[in-house]
Amino acid sequence: MSESAKRREAGTSTRILDVRPQKRVQERVQERVNVVFAGGGNRCLWQAGFWTEAAPRLGLMPHRIGATSAGAAIACVVFAGRIREGLAHFRAATGANRRNAYPSNLFRGHPMFPHAAMYRRALLEVIDAAALARLHAGPDILVPVTRAPNWLGPRSAFAVAGIVDSFERAVANSPHPRFARRIGFTVEYARVSDCATPEALADLVLASSCTPPFTPLLMHAGRPALDGGIADNVPVDAVGDGPTIVLLTRPFARLPAHPMRTYVQPSQPVPVASWDYTDPDGLDAAFELGRRDAARWCAPRVEAATG
């Protein structure tokens, strides 16, 4: 079924947002919370819609942020105050891109996949020096980068990581996959505040999003980098203790129980493919789903806080 057909079907099959977590984050005005942005490619636009709707309604004040892969891109764009500009730019870029792969480029010495160049261009267009300064003045944002085990090279490591991810989803579908770490993948966290230029920030976000073949193999801090989501797709460890809102990018049948975390997930599968860079309407649909889910999620909390 095409994504557009799925979006039409989703209009009649939306289920209630699962917000039955554990002891929830205290619902009060001007709540200071940690925020975690999971990875998920284009699906992370759901997080942008959710946060831009929920934060002003509930007076949420982010303290520390952990953000993986495309979730890191969204977190940076959101907290730089550039989400509308970012969505407009990427919508235009994906609307102008005809295909997700250009095999003939191989004969001209150019990348077959346009994703890395489009991703980097979007970051640099949206996060300029002024926006980066706002990020430096804002909450601490930590971004995970995965390192491969010594017994694997970068290319084979990504192949093994894909097999591990598929296996773990089949047998233990959890927001916090652990098997990759058990076989030697490790995670390193880098701070957005250590990025001195927009180019350095783009390098970090792309390193945390390194997903061959959509991106080339990338380096970070002089070493091969892989998508941060391999070792830590939902980087709660980056933010430490304290009330935490965890923004996922796909629905799970069961959410973890934790006394200080509120897990929030989409009310339905986000209607855009992670690496489809030809679907601007899907980006809008993901963002608007996030806004609708946030409005539903916030309503009883606003009533409790004001009633």
Side-chain angles (χ1 to χ4, degrees):
M1 182 182 295
S2 68
E3 288 299 332
S4 60
K6 290 178 182 176
R7 285 193 284 274
R8 289 193 297 271
E9 182 178 289
T12 60
S13 61
T14 301
R15 60 184 175 82
I16 299 300
L17 181 67
D18 189 343
V19 288
R20 297 169 297 166
Q22 338 77 45
K23 300 176 182 176
R24 291 195 291 264
V25 175
Q26 293 296 316
E27 297 126 358
R28 61 178 182 274
V29 177
Q30 296 298 308
E31 177 69 24
R32 192 168 175 82
V33 296
N34 301 321
V35 190
V36 172
F37 289 74
N42 288 335
R43 299 196 312 269
C44 294
L45 264 297
W46 179 89
Q47 298 167 326
F50 188 95
W51 182 261
T52 55
E53 187 76 16
R57 284 181 180 237
L58 297 182
L60 299 175
M61 300 175 61
H63 172 53
R64 177 174 286 190
I65 297 157
T68 295
S69 192
I74 292 298
C76 289
V77 172
V78 165
F79 294 109
R82 300 280 291 170
I83 188 58
R84 296 293 178 178
E85 296 83 354
L87 182 57
H89 172 90
F90 207 56
R91 194 185 194 291
T94 54
N97 180 48
R98 293 178 294 117
R99 294 193 296 271
N100 283 308
Y102 296 85
S104 62
N105 281 0
L106 293 175
F107 302 103
R108 297 195 293 265
H110 300 306
M112 183 170 72
F113 297 95
H115 301 75
M118 291 175 65
Y119 198 163
R120 183 177 180 84
R121 191 178 306 119
L123 289 168
L124 293 177
E125 285 286 335
V126 176
I127 306 290
D128 58 12
L132 182 62
R134 287 193 290 274
L135 287 176
H136 286 176
D140 200 14
I141 303 177
L142 290 93
V143 178
V145 173
T146 295
R147 303 297 190 186
N150 293 332
W151 53 276
L152 286 173
R155 292 185 186 278
S156 58
F158 191 79
V160 169
I163 294 170
V164 167
D165 180 66
S166 297
F167 173 78
E168 192 153 27
R169 287 194 189 199
V171 301
N173 193 20
S174 165
H176 299 291
R178 298 300 183 194
F179 194 57
R181 293 204 201 188
R182 290 174 184 167
I183 64 172
F185 288 90
T186 58
V187 63
E188 295 178 6
Y189 299 103
R191 282 185 160 81
V192 166
S193 59
D194 290 336
C195 296
T197 64
E199 290 77 11
L201 176 63
D203 288 343
L204 172 59
V205 172
L206 280 165
S208 184
S209 306
C210 181
T211 310
F214 298 113
T215 71
L217 292 172
L218 298 171
M219 306 287 286
H220 179 70
R223 298 172 57 200
L226 289 172
D227 191 301
I230 293 172
D232 200 2
N233 195 50
V234 184
V236 293
D237 292 340
V239 299
D241 297 329
T244 301
I245 294 177
V246 182
L247 300 179
L248 304 173
T249 57
R250 60 187 179 93
F252 290 86
R254 182 183 303 173
L255 295 174
H258 191 282
M260 296 302 290
R261 297 178 194 152
T262 295
Y263 287 82
V264 187
Q265 63 185 5
S267 59
Q268 63 188 57
V270 179
V272 66
S274 296
W275 286 100
D276 187 352
Y277 278 23
T278 67
D279 186 10
D281 291 341
L283 304 178
D284 285 341
F287 185 83
E288 291 304 321
L289 177 63
R291 293 188 65 213
R292 293 195 304 272
D293 284 348
R296 186 183 304 120
W297 188 78
C298 288
R301 290 157 175 77
V302 171
E303 183 178 353
T306 59

